[in-house]
Amino acid sequence: MPEPDFDAIVVGAGPAGCVAATLLARAGHQVVLIERGSTPGSKNLSGGVLYGRVLETVFPDYAAEAPVERRITKHTTTFLNADSAVSIDYWAKSLAKPVNAVTVLRAHFDEWLASQAEEAGAFLMAGVRVDELMVESGQVVGVRAGEDELRTRLVVAADGVNSFLARAVGLRGTPRQEQVALGVKGVLRMDPKTIEDRFGVRGGEGAAHAIVGDCTKGVAGGAFLYTNKSSLSLGVVMRLDDLIAKGFKSSDIFEHCYTHPGLAPYLDGGELIEYGSHLVAEGGLEMLGEVSSDGLIVIGEAVGLTINSGFAVRGMDLAIGSAIIAARLADAALRHGDTSAQALDYRQRLLGSYIGQDLKTYAKAPAFLHRNRLYSDYGMLAAEVFRGVFSLDTTPRQHLLKCAREAVRGSGVGYRKLLADGLAGVRSL
Ligand SMILES: Cc1cc2nc3c(=O)[nH]c(=O)nc-3n(C[C@H](O)[C@H](O)[C@H](O)COP(=O)(O)OP(=O)(O)OC[C@H]3O[C@@H](n4cnc5c(N)ncnc54)[C@H](O)[C@@H]3O)c2cc1C
């Protein structure tokens, strides 16, 4: 066997790859981090709320040192109709300290993460696309990038939602259309004072809005509106099967959301300075395929690690968490000179961790979120209840319960479906 060029080759400099490369380099291994984008983050797109407690375990002062935008202390969940909306607001000062979540812009954030990997001793190769894995006698022994071959004792695939590497060795199949969503995102420039006045936040604090309903024209999914320092991140995430079935173009849905009268008070005057789209895994636990083979370990969204609870999209924190688990196991395997899947024992450790527990907790969420009534009827129903409460004329008032009963009767949803959906929601989310 020729001598390996590196102990570990990490493919993909997103959150998963950068953290894995940092930890393996800190442990004294020769690591190369390969990224196809000209700079880390240049090809990446997230809504942008990072639940960062897990990152703190690797970079304790990340919230002060990394290019983060705002500390999120306010979460708003909205049912949006064509001309009405019902929202729940949750604000808590305690979410600022310890920092629970921050907004990030990936072009800056991923670059910082990759620089931390370099500082730890990893060698960053940006602007290089890995074309395939080199496999000899069933063992992954390196990667090919164009004419170049790099040999290694272990490949860490952190190449994101499509993970051609994991698919090439049969660890994953092509995801089904209902297991992925298409996200379209725009960044709108806005001065910080306007942002703080409109979203009711101060200082470095920020708000995260999760919106369902008319913002996606009823397509299963939702919209997000997050505050950065001097910009807003606005996006729509639409389940691919429903988007195709309803025959809409994703750009038209984004345009509809961007110009929605219910969002205009937040967005007016914002200048669209960035626009892009990206797939996101939506299958949850059901999507988790095989996660390692001899000489290969797969982390982050490359194994489908995302959770969409309807209230929040989580992917970056799970990517980082899986990178930490994988790096620990890889370090031990490299030290013992055995990087077989059996020695790595990664699947068991991943499923036994809080990540595996969370995947199990939210395992029913994808099926629950397939109920189309969530994206149309319930927003109208909630608005109708509040219309009964707040719309005063000279007719006699009714108690809330009666308003609600009449709203249910008028909605066409029916008590049985309402009860079934309510129970399913409580059990899934
Ligand atoms: C619209 C949208 C909104 C989202 N909102 C949120 C959110 O608010 N919060 C959250 O936590 N998550 C969110 N997510 C999910 C989150 O973006 C992902 O889960 C997360 O980025 C996964 O991290 P990763 O490191 O596994 O993969 P990625 O971030 O996708 O990184 C993979 C890297 O690999 C590189 N790469 C791929 N193939 C190759 C190759 N062959 N050779 C070399 N390099 C390669 C890519 O260029 C990329 O840099 C959102 C996703 C979308 C699309």
Side-chain angles (χ1 to χ4, degrees):
M1 276 258 194
E3 265 299 292
D5 303 294
F6 296 94
D7 294 326
I9 294 177
V10 181
V11 183
C18 290
V19 166
T22 302
L23 293 176
L24 284 168
R26 278 186 193 167
H29 301 291
Q30 296 286 322
V31 181
V32 63
L33 173 60
I34 306 181
E35 167 56 44
R36 67 180 170 170
S38 55
T39 52
S42 56
K43 292 221 171 247
N44 296 346
L45 185 148
S46 268
V49 173
L50 166 67
Y51 294 88
R53 296 303 300 277
V54 65
L55 188 61
E56 245 171 34
T57 65
V58 184
F59 305 112
D61 294 326
Y62 91 92
E65 292 169 3
V68 303
E69 296 291 317
R70 286 176 184 270
R71 297 184 302 277
I72 298 301
T73 54
K74 195 174 200 183
H75 292 266
T76 302
T77 308
T78 298
F79 280 102
L80 184 67
N81 305 313
D83 56 6
S84 62
V86 175
S87 297
I88 300 170
D89 250 11
Y90 168 60
W91 169 79
K93 194 80 193 156
S94 60
L95 293 178
K97 209 169 175 195
V99 179
N100 182 62
V102 293
T103 39
V104 295
L105 292 167
R106 295 286 301 271
H108 307 307
F109 185 68
D110 289 12
E111 205 168 22
W112 180 84
L113 277 179
S115 75
Q116 300 305 298
E118 282 184 287
E119 217 164 87
F123 174 53
L124 174 66
M125 282 172 72
V128 175
R129 195 174 77 106
V130 168
D131 296 316
E132 59 180 351
L133 293 169
M134 290 159 58
V135 184
E136 291 173 6
S137 310
Q139 169 93 14
V140 174
V141 294
V143 299
R144 269 191 204 93
E147 301 287 293
D148 297 323
E149 288 188 351
L150 290 175
R151 298 186 77 89
T152 184
R153 296 159 70 197
L154 181 72
V155 172
V156 180
D159 52 339
V161 61
N162 290 317
S163 192
F164 292 109
L165 299 188
R167 283 202 228 168
V169 290
L171 292 187
R172 276 181 63 187
T174 309
R176 298 194 306 271
Q177 276 175 1
E178 70 272 18
Q179 290 183 321
V180 282
L182 180 63
V184 182
K185 176 186 167 183
V187 177
L188 284 73
R189 191 180 356 237
M190 194 172 278
D191 74 86
K193 169 116 183 30
T194 307
I195 292 175
E196 292 180 3
D197 289 348
R198 289 184 182 182
F199 287 82
V201 290
R202 289 288 172 268
E205 295 184 10
H209 286 224
I211 309 155
V212 291
D214 192 55
C215 49
T216 56
K217 293 190 171 186
V219 173
F224 57 84
L225 177 58
Y226 301 149
T227 56
N228 303 316
K229 272 185 188 144
S230 53
S231 64
L232 302 177
S233 292
L234 171 74
V236 284
V237 178
M238 300 149 287
R239 227 180 52 223
L240 206 53
D241 61 330
D242 206 35
L243 180 68
I244 293 167
K246 294 201 164 108
F248 290 124
K249 283 204 324 215
S250 58
S251 53
D252 290 345
I253 301 233
F254 178 82
E255 183 67 23
H256 174 74
C257 180
Y258 179 43
T259 54
H260 199 289
L263 299 178
Y266 296 112
L267 304 180
D268 271 355
E271 182 197 349
L272 192 62
I273 52 171
E274 265 179 59
Y275 180 80
S277 64
H278 204 281
L279 287 178
V280 58
E282 288 262 306
L285 182 63
E286 199 198 81
M287 210 170 159
L288 188 74
E290 282 305 318
V291 292
S292 61
S293 70
D294 296 344
L296 175 72
I297 197 159
V298 191
I299 58 178
E301 212 173 348
V303 274
L305 289 180
T306 51
I307 294 176
N308 181 356
S309 68
F311 298 105
V313 178
R314 286 174 58 193
M316 290 185 279
D317 64 312
L318 304 177
I320 293 164
S322 66
I324 294 170
I325 295 168
R328 266 192 217 124
L329 299 173
D331 174 35
L334 288 167
R335 282 180 200 288
H336 290 116
D338 181 359
T339 55
S340 65
Q342 200 181 1
L344 287 165
D345 189 28
Y346 173 46
R347 189 182 172 83
Q348 279 300 102
R349 299 293 180 94
L350 187 66
L351 284 172
S353 71
Y354 81 95
I355 295 175
Q357 298 301 317
D358 284 2
L359 285 173
K360 286 174 202 157
T361 300
Y362 293 107
K364 291 182 180 155
F368 173 69
L369 295 172
H370 278 207
R371 297 170 187 232
N372 273 317
R373 289 185 287 278
L374 296 175
Y375 309 102
S376 51
D377 299 337
Y378 286 129
M380 303 285 283
L381 176 54
E384 198 51 29
V385 174
F386 284 102
R387 199 181 67 80
V389 173
F390 290 111
S391 167
L392 300 188
D393 53 23
T394 53
T395 56
R397 295 295 84 204
Q398 292 174 335
H399 285 302
L400 182 61
L401 189 61
K402 193 142 193 233
C403 293
R405 269 202 207 121
E406 282 184 6
V408 174
R409 219 171 287 135
S411 71
V413 173
Y415 288 108
R416 199 175 287 177
K417 285 183 195 153
L418 184 65
L419 193 66
D421 290 345
L423 278 176
V426 170
R427 286 187 184 134
S428 324
L429 303 181

